[in-house]
Amino acid sequence: MWNYTEAVHDHFLRPHNVGPLEGANAIGEVGSLACGDALKLYLKISEQGIIEDATFETFGCASAIASSSVLTDMIKGMHVEDALKISNKDIANSLGGLPKQKMHCSVMGQEALEAAIRQWKGEPPVPHAHEEGKLVCKCFGVTDAQIIRAIRENGLKTVEEVTNYTKAGGACGECLDEIGEILAAELKQTSFVELKPKQRLTNVQRMQLVLKTIEEEIRPLLAADGGDIELVDVDGLRVVVSLRGRCAQCRSSDVTIRDLVQRLLREHVEPDIVVEEA
Amino acid sequence: MKTIYLDNNATTAVAPEVRDAIVPYLSDLYGNPSSMHTFGGQVGDAVEAARENLANLLGASPDEILFTSCGSESDNAAIWSAVQTQPEKRHLITTRVEHPAVLNVIQHWERHGYRVTYLGVDNKGRLDMDEYAQALSEDTALVSIMFANNEVGNIYPIQRMSEMAHEKGILFHTDAVQTVGKTPIDLSHLPVDMLSLSGHKLHAPKGIGALYIRKGVRFRPFLRGGHQERGRRAGTENVPYIIGMGVAAQLALDHMQEERVQVALLRDKLEAGILERIPDSMVNGDIENRLPNTSNISFKNVEGEAILLMLDRLGICASSGSACTSGSLEPSHVLRAMGVPFNYAHGSVRLSLSRYTTDEDVDFVIEHFPQVIETLRAISPFKD
């Protein structure tokens, strides 16, 4: 069972502002039956742009219902421009938080609010529709625009987080690579370093990189203390070295090997290298 | 508040007789069954008596019973062994509606180059025997098909399917975790080669299972080490739970016939009561051919997790194939394979009964369930 806060339980079991709103002049709809959750948000907005009343209808889980309920409480009496500043994080925070897998419910609230206000302003629908963004997740109809927005507004770092916040990639998984590319671009990464396992080095590549790292990174540091290092052997991930100069007589040579030599080789060559002293 | 437990396909209550039988093996009778001394020997005798009870329940011989830690281990061991003992065969057959303990293992071998046939099901969750017949080939190492489905309760034609596999010299494994103790299984007439079961589905504790391996079937251990279980599974036996499962097997053997009738009557009453009082609801699965204790009902335009939480507030424990319950984003793979429409699949609830379910429990659920659905439908934008 999900670890829901008391606030989520309260809003789910006793939701506020339920049902269609008579006199509503703005309606925002997001989600669908196929997606497993949907929200229809009704707003009554004054000529001055004040949200005088708000109600909702939600098909979905406890998080979806609670997010909708708390959202209607939050926006009543607000000016539409201020309401537009409400983020999905604000909705989740008002509930004392949501399980990470349920964050998409708070995003649904934010999107419905935006959709309703855009309708009231006479603006075209928010770019959920395929024509205003490239469709990435066919299962849940999520565009790259939605993914980028979720990444930026919530500081998302992994593909799993993108799925939690947008549902994209949560069904067949065929778009996960594409989500990874969008995420990498957003994080200004040029490769899939965080998303795909690093390519294994060949023995020759590993040896060259070990030599380069010793020469450029390790030797200068040891030289500063009157020491030196010599590479004895590279056998797979096992690197054998011999400390020279002052380092050779140092009582802390074990620490030097582990905390300096091994750490730098792991950082610059491969993460699972093991360094031994000859 | 009284707890009404209708989630017996997830796990069952430990029977009082089982609990009482276990206690001495947690205190005075702590010997190792492998020990040579009398103190350990008496424990070894008790383990063998439990093995015999389980064998009797299945119509098997005690030396065909291998104790494991759970149903998942039994499934893994069976599939592993079939693959390891027949390296020349590179094809596996299973269904789209298996438990993940089989499905994920088969997918593992698929990633390792095995060709896999996943048999589909119709809208009642029934297999197509023609599709099955066509899938069987000389290259098939194993057929692994569940005896009964955990979500909708469908019982599959294991007798015929295992015969068809044998006609082509193919090993047949069945995951009978949901079946053992609920409906009779007689392995002296049912030609399956391996059968998995789990103690906690038949009123024994969690953490004990067994794998039946027919005499003569080549077996390669999944867990290697000592000589326990005749060298087929290393590791000191989980004695108290084995004893418990033996007692649970004896109870099932003694009372299954009347229990299944009684449980099915209650299940049918519960199901009829719900369907009668809640419009736009439907039963999933093969009503004519399913476990006596299982009912899977879908409610149009409401979501399963929301239903479960509201039932929970009433003390009613059930489970759901809805997406939100599991943390996945799609509803149950079983309901999807059956083609249950989305507007029903998201609102599916599984009610599974046991020998401890009472008439009063059923009446309470029938009385309160409609209000739960009504409340959620009142919130739903799709109510019209």
Side-chain angles (χ1 to χ4, degrees):
Chain A
M1 180 170 277
W2 297 108
N3 191 15
Y4 284 138
T5 64
E6 270 308 306
V8 172
H9 276 291
D10 282 348
H11 276 280
F12 165 60
L13 292 168
R14 289 172 286 279
H16 310 169
N17 314 308
V18 174
L21 177 62
E22 204 171 314
N25 54 1
I27 296 174
E29 284 184 85
V30 292
S32 71
L33 268 172
C35 288
D37 44 28
L39 166 59
K40 192 170 183 181
L41 183 68
Y42 301 85
L43 303 180
K44 195 170 170 184
I45 305 173
S46 72
E47 285 182 13
Q48 292 74 34
I50 303 295
I51 300 173
E52 293 177 334
D53 205 354
T55 64
F56 77 94
E57 291 175 295
T58 294
F59 160 72
C61 61
S63 302
I65 292 169
S67 294
S68 311
S69 171
V70 80
L71 173 66
T72 54
D73 281 351
M74 289 166 74
I75 58 177
K76 275 190 196 180
M78 253 187 191
H79 192 279
V80 288
E81 295 307 325
D82 293 325
L84 280 173
K85 291 175 190 158
I86 291 175
S87 71
N88 68 288
K89 276 194 283 192
D90 296 329
I91 297 169
N93 289 341
S94 298
L95 292 166
L98 285 171
K100 62 181 183 186
Q101 295 91 339
K102 299 283 190 173
M103 285 302 289
H104 58 86
C105 296
S106 64
V107 174
M108 191 167 71
Q110 180 195 23
E111 289 180 350
L113 176 61
E114 192 177 346
I117 294 175
R118 284 176 79 114
Q119 189 204 53
W120 178 76
K121 287 180 171 179
E123 294 174 357
V126 281
H128 303 152
H130 306 166
E131 63 268 20
E132 292 203 35
K134 185 187 166 205
L135 184 66
V136 176
C137 175
K138 295 184 181 71
C139 300
F140 293 117
V142 185
T143 64
D144 56 357
Q146 287 173 280
I147 291 170
I148 290 167
R149 180 177 180 179
I151 292 169
R152 289 179 182 172
E153 292 187 358
N154 296 284
L156 307 184
K157 294 278 190 287
T158 65
V159 173
E160 187 188 353
E161 285 179 331
V162 172
T163 302
N164 289 339
Y165 278 72
T166 65
K167 297 180 85 165
C172 74
E174 277 187 18
C175 59
L176 288 173
D177 282 347
E178 198 175 346
I179 295 170
E181 285 167 19
I182 296 168
L183 184 66
E186 278 300 302
L187 296 175
K188 303 203 186 320
Q189 291 175 343
T190 52
S191 67
F192 279 105
V193 172
E194 283 191 18
L195 307 168
K196 285 187 174 175
K198 202 172 177 178
Q199 195 80 30
R200 295 302 288 187
L201 299 171
T202 65
N203 288 333
V204 174
Q205 287 171 328
R206 183 181 298 117
M207 196 170 294
Q208 287 173 338
L209 213 46
V210 167
L211 278 168
K212 185 169 182 279
T213 305
I214 287 177
E215 200 56 46
E216 295 177 4
E217 305 288 339
I218 299 172
R219 182 161 284 136
L221 290 172
L222 297 180
D225 290 321
D228 199 359
I229 186 169
E230 185 184 318
L231 179 65
V232 177
D233 196 11
V234 178
D235 180 13
L237 292 168
R238 184 170 153 265
V239 175
V240 184
V241 297
S242 179
L243 294 177
R244 297 276 187 260
R246 280 193 185 175
C247 291
Q249 289 88 43
C250 180
R251 287 184 178 181
S252 306
S253 62
D254 285 350
V255 178
T256 306
I257 293 286
R258 189 184 65 239
D259 289 356
L260 179 78
V261 181
Q262 182 169 280
R263 178 175 62 78
L264 286 170
L265 287 175
R266 286 183 172 182
E267 194 177 317
H268 291 275
V269 186
E270 273 176 304
D272 32 11
I273 269 182
V274 176
V275 178
E276 292 172 13
E277 196 172 7
Chain B
M1 184 172 62
K2 189 189 172 192
T3 296
I4 296 175
Y5 188 76
L6 296 177
D7 200 12
N8 287 281
N9 283 12
T11 197
T12 55
V14 174
E17 298 90 334
V18 169
R19 186 188 56 217
D20 293 346
I22 286 173
V23 171
Y25 294 89
L26 294 170
S27 52
D28 297 340
L29 298 173
Y30 58 84
N32 188 326
S34 297
S35 297
M36 288 302 292
H37 45 69
T38 311
F39 187 62
Q42 63 183 338
V43 174
D45 290 345
V47 166
E48 292 316 307
R51 198 188 306 276
E52 198 165 327
N53 281 354
L54 196 54
N56 288 341
L57 176 64
L58 300 172
S61 163
D63 55 8
E64 293 175 314
I65 302 294
L66 171 70
F67 290 122
T68 64
S69 64
C70 58
S72 294
E73 187 197 319
S74 301
D75 289 337
N76 273 262
I79 298 166
W80 160 268
S81 177
V83 166
Q84 296 296 320
T85 54
Q86 306 168 96
E88 71 286 0
K89 294 186 171 184
R90 306 287 291 175
H91 176 230
L92 301 166
I93 298 175
T94 190
T95 75
R96 293 194 183 282
V97 295
E98 293 299 311
H99 188 276
V102 165
L103 217 43
N104 285 339
V105 182
I106 297 281
Q107 282 165 1
H108 165 82
W109 289 110
E110 190 176 22
R111 286 192 293 274
H112 284 74
Y114 276 73
R115 191 166 58 84
V116 177
T117 301
Y118 295 97
L119 301 172
V121 292
D122 67 9
N123 62 0
K124 289 188 173 177
R126 296 174 299 199
L127 295 167
D128 180 341
M129 293 300 278
D130 290 336
E131 185 191 2
Y132 175 61
Q134 283 168 17
L136 297 167
S137 83
E138 286 181 1
D139 191 38
T140 307
L142 179 73
V143 174
S144 180
I145 293 177
M146 63 198 336
F147 209 119
N149 184 268
N150 51 312
E151 293 194 31
V152 294
N154 282 16
I155 296 173
Y156 293 107
I158 297 302
Q159 177 88 35
R160 181 75 193 114
M161 294 182 110
S162 52
E163 285 168 359
M164 288 166 71
H166 280 184
E167 283 164 16
K168 298 217 169 184
I170 301 167
L171 280 179
F172 192 96
H173 164 250
T174 185
D175 175 349
V177 162
Q178 290 295 347
T179 320
V180 174
K182 292 175 190 163
T183 63
I185 294 176
D186 183 1
L187 290 165
S188 63
H189 291 94
L190 183 69
V192 304
D193 297 298
M194 291 180 280
L195 177 146
S196 305
L197 64 99
S198 173
H200 75 105
K201 308 290 188 185
L202 64 147
H203 303 289
K206 296 157 197 65
I208 184 70
L211 178 65
Y212 159 84
I213 308 160
R214 181 174 293 282
K215 267 181 204 159
V217 169
R218 288 168 65 204
F219 186 77
R220 198 67 66 81
F222 185 58
L223 196 57
R224 291 169 189 273
H227 291 99
Q228 294 89 350
E229 296 293 300
R230 299 196 299 133
R232 295 182 300 180
R233 183 189 187 267
T236 303
E237 294 87 345
N238 185 353
V239 171
Y241 285 15
I242 287 173
I243 303 298
M245 189 159 67
V247 174
Q250 187 62 52
L251 288 170
L253 193 61
D254 292 345
H255 304 296
M256 190 195 301
Q257 291 299 352
E258 74 261 21
E259 271 177 16
R260 60 197 296 257
V261 173
Q262 169 206 327
V263 167
L265 280 172
L266 279 178
R267 186 270 313 270
D268 293 345
K269 177 184 171 182
L270 175 68
E271 198 170 86
I274 289 172
L275 291 178
E276 189 185 309
R277 287 166 178 78
I278 304 175
D280 294 324
S281 53
M282 69 174 195
V283 175
N284 298 310
D286 185 0
I287 294 173
E288 305 301 319
N289 191 22
R290 59 179 168 159
L291 293 170
N293 78 320
T294 307
S295 177
N296 190 306
I297 311 179
S298 285
F299 304 93
K300 190 180 177 186
N301 294 346
V302 285
E303 200 280 327
E305 187 215 71
I307 300 172
L308 292 193
L309 282 180
M310 286 202 169
L311 289 176
D312 188 59
R313 299 290 289 195
L314 298 166
I316 301 167
C317 307
S319 67
S320 169
S322 93
C324 282
T325 320
S326 61
S328 81
L329 293 167
E330 278 206 298
S332 127
H333 70 286
V334 175
L335 299 182
R336 277 189 293 127
M338 289 166 57
V340 175
F342 273 112
N343 57 347
Y344 277 92
H346 284 292
S348 66
V349 172
R350 181 183 71 187
L351 304 166
S352 46
L353 289 64
S354 81
R355 69 171 71 126
Y356 301 116
T357 307
T358 65
D359 209 40
E360 292 72 37
D361 291 344
V362 166
D363 287 340
F364 184 87
V365 176
I366 291 173
E367 184 188 342
H368 290 91
F369 213 125
Q371 184 58 47
V372 168
I373 302 299
E374 207 173 296
T375 302
L376 290 170
R377 280 187 178 155
I379 304 174
S380 173
F382 303 120
K383 55 182 171 289
D384 302 324

